Amino acid sequence: MLRQLIKIMRRGDMIIVILLFLLSFLPLAIFTYVQASVSDDATKIAVVKMDNEIIETITLTGNRGTQSFEIVADDGDINTVEIIDEKIRIRSATCPDQVCILTSFIENPGETIVCIPHKVVIEIQAENHHEELLISS
Amino acid sequence: MTNNQRLVFIALLASQAVIISLLERAIPFPFAVAPGAKLGLANMITIMALYTLSTKDTMHVIGIRITLASLLGGTISTLMYSGAGALLSFIGMVLMKKIGGNKISIIGVSVVGAVLHNVGQLLIASMVANTWTVMLYLPVLSMIGILSGIAIGIAANYILTHVNRLNYYKDLQTFQVERG
């Protein structure tokens, strides 16, 4: 297969592969850039949304101990959210792909946990004491 | 290629693509690290169509595949996701093939298709979730997309060069293009 690859592969292909590889990091770069403008002393708030409606907001800064609650949708979908100290995660979910659970804990402003099948989004927002919110959805 | 031959060939490719997507769905998920990643085996058929049929007929093949595969084993949301992915990857592949010309082989076309498929799906996902941070998932997906795209490109190249019947169709098309 490798010999075949070398035989077909042209320089243009290599350029495309490298270019696509680099471009796929573009969202990450923008994200890091946006996040850099949030100051450290901001209050971190986790906003839990379902179907684009806010169903819970939790102040993470200064939070201690373990709390957990369940998000139950009308059609029986369940996501269990767990907050340990200043981190938040989805501990278990009845969705098929389990992406939200693999995302694990988040704690920094701008980070999100997304459960597409259940339309549940947890987003950490920063509330600056001096200026307006810089992170928006 | 007569009109009937063309129709039969489109139907043949479309049905193969539907079967392949259904089979692929039945394979248990191979990458535990990246849910949502797929091998994209059906892309092989799209590439074959792209290299043997006209752009318009390739679109027909893709349209039939998406509609039938979603009807046979999907939901409205899978239709949305695979539709957006397929549309974007098709546009990308056609452009790549046109612009690239001789400098870009079937592998480059296939890789572009694979990565753009992921981009399309993530775009829909960020629209559903209403936050663009979903796009942060792109590097993982596109990494797997690039690898599987290369593999699919080699496979498609094998098929194109080794199956005489396909070459026959390829010749027929160029013949038609040259005359018309």
Side-chain angles (χ1 to χ4, degrees), chain A residues 78-97:
Chain A
I78 302 169
N79 291 60
T80 310
V81 180
E82 187 176 55
I83 306 136
I84 297 177
D85 295 340
E86 298 192 353
K87 298 178 198 162
I88 186 166
R89 70 161 173 173
I90 292 183
R91 192 176 58 203
S92 65
T94 54
C95 60
D97 60 11

Side-chain angles (χ1 to χ4, degrees), chain B residues 6-38:
Chain B
R6 194 178 53 99
L7 285 180
V8 169
F9 190 52
I10 291 173
L12 202 68
L13 282 180
S15 55
Q16 282 174 338
V18 169
I19 297 296
I20 287 176
S21 1
L22 289 182
L23 276 179
E24 197 186 359
R25 212 169 281 167
I27 301 174
F29 189 63
F31 310 101
V33 263
K38 281 205 304 184

Side-chain angles (χ1 to χ4, degrees), chain A residues 4-5 8-10 12-13 16-17 20-21 24-25 27-28 31 52 97 99 102 110 112 114 116 119 121 137, chain B residues 32 35 81 96 102-105 107-108 111-112 125 129-130 132-133 135-136 138-139 142-143 146 150 154 157-158:
Chain A
Q4 190 75 15
L5 177 68
I8 321 165
M9 203 92 164
R10 307 221 175 94
D13 297 335
I16 285 176
V17 167
L20 283 177
F21 181 74
S24 67
F25 286 95
L28 201 67
F31 175 74
N52 290 328
D97 60 11
V99 173
L102 283 167
T112 48
V114 181
I116 293 290
K119 291 186 182 155
V121 178
S137 57
Chain B
Y81 285 113
M96 216 68 238
N102 232 356
K103 291 194 196 72
I104 284 159
S105 72
I107 292 180
V111 168
V112 168
N130 208 10
W132 66 272
T133 42
M135 293 301 282
L136 293 180
L138 186 64
S142 70
M143 204 99 77
I146 287 172
I150 292 174
I154 294 172
N157 190 64
Y158 255 120

Side-chain angles (χ1 to χ4, degrees), chain B residues 35-46:
Chain B
K38 281 205 304 184
L39 287 171
L41 290 175
N43 202 29
M44 202 152 64
I45 302 291
T46 312

Side-chain angles (χ1 to χ4, degrees), chain B residues 112-129:
Chain B
V112 168
V115 171
L116 282 182
H117 196 273
N118 291 333
V119 173
Q121 286 185 317
L122 283 182
L123 280 178
I124 294 285
S126 16
M127 256 157 67
V128 170

